[in-house]
Amino acid sequence: DDPLAGCSTIMLSYTWGYRVTEIVSALCQYCNNRDVPLSAVRTWICCICVNQFRVKEASANGSVVSFDSFQKTFGERVRGIGHILAMLSPWSDAKYLKRVWCLFEAWTATTTPGCTLEFVMPNQEAKDFRQSLRESALDQVWRTLGQVRVQDAQASVVEDRDRILELIRSSRKGYRGLNLAVIKRLQTWFVETAAGYLRPTLEQEAEPKPS
């Protein structure tokens, strides 16, 4: 009966190390950009929805949660929610693009039928992105896209990295396929976001000046 409770509408894909304020800011940006009430969006976040205390306790007792278990849980969430929101911060040197689990999540989203993959930035990063557009157009964007190389990405657990890279390597399109899929989606998002930021400025400059 709780009006704020319900099934998740988006799944946040992010890397450890972000501050809670950054995550909240990014989710608020997502809602504001779409003019959607905060109460209408319900987010699945692993640090909240997966009991991290049990994971730590199991690890301390020598019982590490297997890669297969994490992969199964993630795959079920992707298919069930169908909408992945990947968080980029800082946008010009995103930690997200350097973590193998994050790229694997993005790749899974792009290869799951009916699943949507979007990107989002915290408010301060959005401001920095707009400033960069004014100063260097899309130059920094192209450099950011060049950072996508799953074969160089890292993970806290070496075994997880090895298993993920093997899964990707043995897939039909391999590393190149993942890199291109993520780059293509990022490229589209960057261009659409840039257009949204610049359109009001261009329209204002195009208005006839009073004589």
Side-chain angles (χ1 to χ4, degrees):
D1 295 333
D2 187 344
L4 298 181
C7 295
S8 299
T9 56
I10 58 174
M11 178 179 180
L12 184 68
S13 179
Y14 70 107
T15 183
W16 296 102
Y18 291 139
R19 296 189 298 271
V20 172
T21 52
E22 291 178 300
I23 293 175
V24 171
S25 176
L27 293 174
C28 288
Q29 275 282 114
Y30 172 80
C31 293
N32 292 337
N33 291 344
R34 288 153 186 77
D35 196 23
V36 175
L38 297 177
S39 58
V41 176
R42 299 177 179 88
T43 309
W44 192 95
I45 306 177
C46 72
C47 68
I48 297 174
C49 298
V50 175
N51 192 318
Q52 302 298 320
F53 291 104
R54 290 180 183 172
V55 173
K56 291 291 185 182
E57 288 173 2
S59 178
N61 294 328
S63 176
V64 179
V65 179
S66 70
F67 168 80
D68 290 337
S69 177
F70 273 123
Q71 184 189 17
K72 180 175 182 293
T73 298
F74 174 71
E76 291 172 349
R77 297 298 176 273
V78 171
R79 289 187 293 272
I81 298 171
H83 193 159
I84 307 302
L85 187 65
M87 179 176 163
L88 298 181
S89 181
W91 75 268
S92 58
D93 188 26
K95 301 173 186 177
Y96 187 91
L97 302 179
K98 299 177 181 179
R99 307 302 295 177
V100 73
W101 264 111
C102 294
L103 290 175
F104 178 65
E105 290 174 4
W107 179 65
T108 302
T110 63
T111 56
T112 299
C115 184
T116 299
L117 172 64
E118 293 189 87
F119 296 91
V120 69
M121 297 178 284
N123 184 55
Q124 185 57 53
E125 290 303 314
K127 291 180 179 178
D128 291 344
F129 181 59
R130 288 193 291 270
Q131 183 64 31
S132 178
L133 288 176
R134 288 192 289 268
E135 295 176 353
S136 60
L138 293 174
D139 290 350
Q140 183 58 53
V141 169
W142 307 140
R143 284 194 288 271
T144 299
L145 293 175
Q147 297 175 13
V148 180
R149 276 180 54 86
V150 67
Q151 55 267 51
D152 296 335
Q154 300 300 312
S156 301
V157 179
V158 175
E159 181 185 359
D160 286 357
R161 180 180 186 274
D162 293 342
R163 294 286 297 277
I164 290 174
L165 291 181
E166 177 57 27
L167 273 177
I168 296 167
R169 188 193 64 77
S170 60
S171 66
R172 187 166 61 89
K173 296 185 178 180
Y175 296 151
R176 176 178 169 79
L178 181 148
N179 292 335
L180 288 178
V182 175
I183 288 172
K184 182 178 179 180
R185 188 65 196 91
L186 264 174
Q187 185 179 48
T188 300
W189 178 79
F190 271 131
V191 171
E192 290 175 349
T193 302
Y197 288 153
L198 295 176
R199 189 175 297 112
T201 301
L202 295 176
E203 291 175 350
Q204 184 177 19
E205 291 178 353
E207 292 179 357
K209 301 294 189 295
S211 56

